[in-house]
Each structure stands twice: as structure tokens, then as C-alpha cells.
Amino acid sequence: DRAGGHLMGAAGALVNLGTLMLDRGEPERARAYLRESLALHWELREKDGIAYCLEGTAGVLVAAQQPEAAWEAARLLGAATALRRSLNVPLSPTERVRNDRDRACARATLGPTRYEEAQSEGERLSMAQAVDHAMRLLAPKPGEAVDGS
């Protein structure tokens, strides 16, 4: 239907803006776009878009260069991997480059054993659990403007 198509277009545009902000080195600006996109993809139950948003959220977390954030990034990457596997939807070449970079950063921060533990934990999350967790991780920080500025 037309309304669903408009929402799908908006959700796709927002995730693209989020990943553009990540590529530009602006993870806090990416946060707001990804949160809104994830909410729309969840409302539409558009699983491929949800996986893309989970991967984008991992990118925001990896940019923090903190062990706790790297753990959460690895969990979300695991959840996205499991979701993509269930859909039989591989990463595009561009997505693969970002994904490999984020995995390498999280692995370097956590070490291989802890990284594998976190990713495995993420693979066991239900889609609803992963979305709920990502939405909490993307929530504006206290005192932060909603648009990430």
C-alpha cells in the first residue's frame, strides 16, 4: 500500500543517512538517524532493514572505542548475522567493507575470545530482543539534543 511504501522509503533513507554520518566520522549524528530508521523498519517488520540498522548501530558503538561498547557492537553484529542468515540475504560489497571494519575494531578492543563470546550471545537473541536492545543503545544521552547535535 502507498503509506507502507512511503514508510519503507523513509526508513531506507534514514539508515542511509546514518551510515553516511558514520562514514563521515560523525557517530553521534548517525545515532538519531539509525534510531528512527530502526523504529520504522521494526514497525514494518522489514527484516533486511532491521539487520542493516543493527549493523549501523554496531558502527556507532565501535566508534566509541570502549570495551563495553565493543561488547555491545559484537552482540549486535551477531544478531544481524543470524538475521541475515535466516533470510539468506548476504551483505552487499559496500556493507561487507563496513561490517569487516567494525568486526575488526570490536575484535581488537575485546580480544578474539571475548569477541566470539559476545557475537555468539548476539546470535542467540531474538529479533525483538536485538531491536529492543539497539533502541536502548541508540537512545539520546541525558542532556543531548534529539538530533545528535
Side-chain angles (χ1 to χ4, degrees):
D1 87 330
R2 180 172 276 162
H6 290 303
L7 286 178
M8 181 70 76
L14 288 162
V15 74
N16 288 336
L17 285 168
T19 55
L20 174 64
M21 292 298 109
L22 284 172
D23 289 345
R24 289 179 50 178
E26 300 181 52
E28 290 309 313
R29 289 187 67 197
R31 180 185 298 270
Y33 290 125
L34 290 166
R35 181 176 169 79
E36 191 172 351
S37 180
L38 182 56
L40 288 173
H41 279 107
W42 178 248
E43 181 181 333
L44 296 167
R45 297 303 191 263
E46 208 286 302
K47 296 176 183 179
D48 184 27
I50 289 170
Y52 196 31
C53 289
L54 295 175
E55 291 154 354
T57 304
V60 169
L61 295 167
V62 162
Q65 299 179 338
Q66 299 293 321
E68 183 179 326
W71 174 268
E72 297 299 349
R75 285 182 73 208
L76 292 178
L77 289 167
T81 297
L83 184 53
R84 283 188 181 279
R85 190 180 310 124
S86 76
L87 300 170
N88 197 28
V89 176
L91 293 163
S92 73
T94 303
E95 293 167 341
R96 168 73 53 209
V97 169
R98 277 190 203 100
N99 196 281
D100 288 350
R101 178 194 63 212
D102 292 343
R103 287 178 189 281
C105 288
R107 187 177 285 111
T109 300
L110 295 173
T113 302
R114 292 223 354 109
Y115 174 82
E116 293 301 326
E117 289 170 1
Q119 183 170 347
S120 179
E121 190 175 295
E123 288 177 0
R124 292 189 301 271
L125 294 174
S126 70
M127 185 172 65
Q129 289 171 320
V131 168
D132 181 63
H133 191 59
M135 290 297 285
R136 282 187 272 118
L137 292 167
L138 289 170
K141 297 172 185 173
E144 179 182 45
V146 175
D147 68 357
S149 58

